[in-house]
Amino acid sequence: MRSFAASRLPYLLAGWLLLAAAPAIAAPSSERGFPLIQTYDPPREASSQSFDIARDPRGALYIANGAGLLVYDGAWWRRIEIGKERTAFAVASDGAGRVAVGGIDELGYLAADAAGTLRFVSLLPLLPPAQRHFDQVLKTIATDKGFLFLTTRRLWSWDGTRLATIATFPGDWPYADAFDLGGTVYVWTREGISRLSGARLEPVPGGEAFRNRRVDLMLPADGRLLVSVRGEGLFLLGRDGHALPFAEQASRWTAAKKLLEGRRLADGRWALGSLLGGLLLLRPDGQVEQVIDSAVGLPDDYVSGMVLDREGSLWLALNTGLARVEVASPLSVIDRRSGLQGSAHFVARHQGRLWIATAAGLFTAAGAGAPAAPEGGGPIWMRAVPGVPSAWTLLAAGEDLLAGAYHGVYVIRGDGAEVVPGTEAITTFVLQPSRADPRRVWMGRDDGLAALRREERGWRFEGMIGDLGDEVRTIVEDGDGTLWCGTRTAGVVGVERLEAGSGAAGPPRLRRIAGS
């Protein structure tokens, strides 16, 4: 297994800290970084290419792979050969934990032998000899009575004892397809869309509108059906039989990228997997939320299968390996892919914008320079604020944003930055507003404690306070005006006020009272 996140730990860690803190600084709902993605390599004896994926009630994954059926329990892999050709193309699991598999001229299920080891059991003996050469099983679907096996010429139903033919097809392209929508199975053929009722197919109202229009995917849509038509886009088919175009932007993407798989997520979003473009997350209102492809961490853009795990994460079967995408997580990543550079030291929200102080400078999420998001589904973009060096701390002070940095405190107004005169020579690690005087800001510097003061003309450096002579990283002010400073070598030092000070004439006088 390789982890996309772990492989970029030096700069991704900063992104995790940023997004974990985002709710505390009132992040807009549209503000999002890159998704958390883990990628998995199948075992050596397996093929890199996978075609389908299923999960049983215990959480074990079953992957239809070029070298057979792979079983992954979260720690260990197993490979089960499927017939003479070995390759598995389709897999499904039902609520009882039974697993059915389809390969090339092969279909069957898994059963434990006398030693408790899962083995493949072929169902070919249940078919007449003339029907045993059907090439590839296109899809396997679990039903309340057993499993369905779809091939280019037939749809078979297995109830645990016998294989029965539900429907037959011409066998040439475009092939029929079947879709499981929460226990109801829909089938597209050249004649349109039908529903499986018992042991036969019944046309659905409006299904004839999709006659000779290749349907790649069908998903539930709150009483309606979300239908993807190859080369055209997305449609909503209502119970009244009316089909309406849906989600114009997403439709352009699906028409270009060619959908292969999809799922309705618990929160109402749709996850749409494609042949050429990776994964698209679509909101219930038809707005593109995000495109997740090889540019943001998937091993490749060919999504041939998907399944949800118990945590709500999406597992993808890909052309090269597997990926787990945390589509249900509130966390996302801001890193170099977003334009962010350096380790993150501090995050602030100022005038509706996200600001990040890093070892490489000051970055903001707004302003010119952001690249266009792909299909409206791109993550947040960060850009550097010119003129600010390595930054340590931020403080929103009215209309101004103060940045404590290497060699200076900078005042950020709009997209510009100016250093406060007198602060240029020293690094400032912390900025803390005074409780006693709202116009004063305490500065924790690498040479001790100092203060800034806001005046009509701007910010003025008031000078050093006391004789700490040590690096100050944290400052807390008591109600009586006592300052407690966390230092690098002297521990926590208390500094008490001797007199109020005139403000304009200089900072208040303070005296060191304790150390630890």
Side-chain angles (χ1 to χ4, degrees):
M1 179 188 81
R2 67 184 188 275
S3 168
F4 177 77
S7 66
R8 293 160 171 76
L9 186 60
Y11 62 90
L12 281 187
L13 181 57
W16 292 333
L17 295 174
L18 290 172
L19 272 292
I25 53 176
S29 60
S30 60
E31 196 169 87
R32 181 192 63 255
F34 289 89
L36 298 170
I37 300 173
Q38 285 182 302
T39 59
Y40 296 78
D41 289 326
R44 291 183 180 179
E45 65 270 22
S47 167
S48 63
Q49 187 175 17
S50 296
F51 303 99
D52 199 5
I53 187 169
R55 179 179 66 86
D56 71 13
R58 299 178 298 113
L61 296 174
Y62 300 83
I63 301 101
N65 182 265
L69 185 69
L70 307 180
V71 185
Y72 180 59
D73 62 6
W76 303 98
W77 292 88
R78 278 199 60 209
R79 183 177 65 90
I80 303 173
E81 291 190 3
I82 307 299
K84 296 179 181 179
E85 299 293 335
R86 302 190 351 167
T87 300
F89 283 104
V91 60
S93 176
D94 65 9
R98 296 181 300 177
V99 177
V101 191
I104 297 177
D105 289 337
E106 189 62 273
L107 71 169
Y109 63 98
L110 300 185
D113 61 16
T117 302
L118 283 179
R119 305 290 184 188
F120 175 71
V121 179
S122 176
L123 293 175
L124 283 184
L126 299 182
L127 292 175
Q131 296 182 15
R132 294 178 186 178
H133 298 285
F134 48 79
D135 197 17
Q136 177 184 333
V137 173
L138 303 176
K139 190 163 290 186
T140 303
I141 295 176
T143 70
D144 57 351
K145 296 180 181 178
F147 292 92
L148 299 175
F149 297 92
L150 176 69
T151 70
T152 59
R153 292 186 176 276
R154 285 180 172 80
L155 176 64
W156 283 304
S157 172
W158 179 60
D159 62 4
T161 58
R162 59 186 293 269
L163 275 172
T165 299
I166 299 294
T168 58
F169 314 110
D172 55 343
W173 197 90
Y175 305 130
D177 208 343
F179 311 95
D180 178 19
L181 277 65
T184 300
V185 175
Y186 291 84
V187 175
W188 175 85
T189 68
R190 299 175 191 182
E191 299 304 313
I193 297 174
S194 301
R195 181 192 301 111
L196 181 61
S197 177
R200 62 191 184 90
L201 297 179
E202 294 181 346
V204 302
E208 67 280 359
F210 299 94
R211 180 180 293 123
N212 294 322
R213 298 165 68 191
R214 179 66 167 91
V215 170
D216 288 323
L217 184 65
M218 293 178 62
L219 293 171
D222 301 323
R224 294 180 289 180
L225 303 177
L226 179 68
V227 181
S228 175
V229 179
R230 182 169 300 184
E232 297 184 40
L234 301 174
F235 297 83
L236 286 177
L237 176 60
R239 293 174 179 173
D240 58 2
H242 287 89
L244 301 175
F246 180 63
E248 179 181 356
Q249 191 177 53
S251 285
R252 290 196 299 269
W253 187 92
T254 60
K257 305 304 181 183
K258 299 179 175 59
L259 294 191
L260 292 177
E261 260 291 355
R263 288 290 184 275
R264 188 81 190 270
L265 306 181
D267 58 9
R269 293 176 297 165
W270 293 280
L272 307 177
S274 73
L275 173 67
L276 301 173
L279 180 73
L280 182 142
L281 296 181
L282 183 63
R283 297 174 184 162
D285 62 1
Q287 296 299 308
V288 174
E289 177 176 296
Q290 191 169 14
V291 174
I292 303 171
D293 56 16
S294 55
V296 304
L298 289 185
D300 64 71
D301 295 327
Y302 192 128
V303 180
S304 54
M306 66 175 65
V307 71
L308 288 164
D309 64 20
R310 286 177 289 193
E311 288 74 38
S313 295
L314 201 60
W315 286 80
L316 306 179
L318 304 168
N319 202 47
T320 53
L322 305 170
R324 182 177 186 263
V325 185
E326 296 192 24
V327 293
S329 174
L331 299 180
S332 58
V333 180
I334 296 178
D335 59 20
R336 289 180 185 173
R337 296 168 295 170
S338 308
L340 186 68
Q341 301 292 323
S343 300
H345 296 151
F346 202 93
V347 185
R349 176 88 49 202
H350 179 61
Q351 294 184 341
R353 295 163 67 172
L354 183 67
W355 301 81
I356 306 173
T358 83
L362 178 62
F363 293 79
T364 181
E375 294 295 338
I380 190 172
W381 179 259
M382 307 300 297
R383 67 172 186 84
V385 177
V388 181
S390 178
W392 285 94
T393 187
L394 299 170
L395 176 65
E399 295 183 357
D400 296 335
L401 178 68
L402 300 179
Y406 178 74
H407 286 187
V409 173
Y410 291 79
V411 181
I412 315 299
R413 294 191 183 99
D415 293 325
E418 295 182 358
V419 68
V420 177
T423 67
E424 299 93 334
I426 301 298
T427 298
T428 298
F429 295 110
V430 60
L431 296 169
Q432 179 65 37
S434 169
R435 296 179 62 181
D437 186 345
R439 294 178 297 172
R440 176 171 288 126
V441 172
W442 305 115
M443 303 167 56
R445 308 183 355 152
D446 61 6
D447 62 348
L449 182 66
L452 293 176
R453 187 173 186 81
R454 185 202 294 271
E455 297 180 339
E456 291 184 4
R457 293 175 296 177
W459 290 90
R460 177 172 63 85
F461 177 56
E462 290 190 295
M464 300 301 296
I465 297 173
D467 58 351
L468 294 185
D470 199 354
E471 186 177 286
V472 175
R473 291 288 187 131
T474 55
I475 302 172
V476 176
E477 183 177 359
D478 280 349
D480 62 1
T482 299
L483 296 181
W484 297 94
C485 303
T487 67
R488 184 171 63 88
T489 62
V492 179
V493 176
V495 183
E496 68 176 354
R497 184 184 300 273
L498 293 179
E499 57 187 47
S502 61
R509 296 169 56 204
L510 295 106
R511 180 179 64 188
R512 179 170 172 163
I513 59 173
S516 62

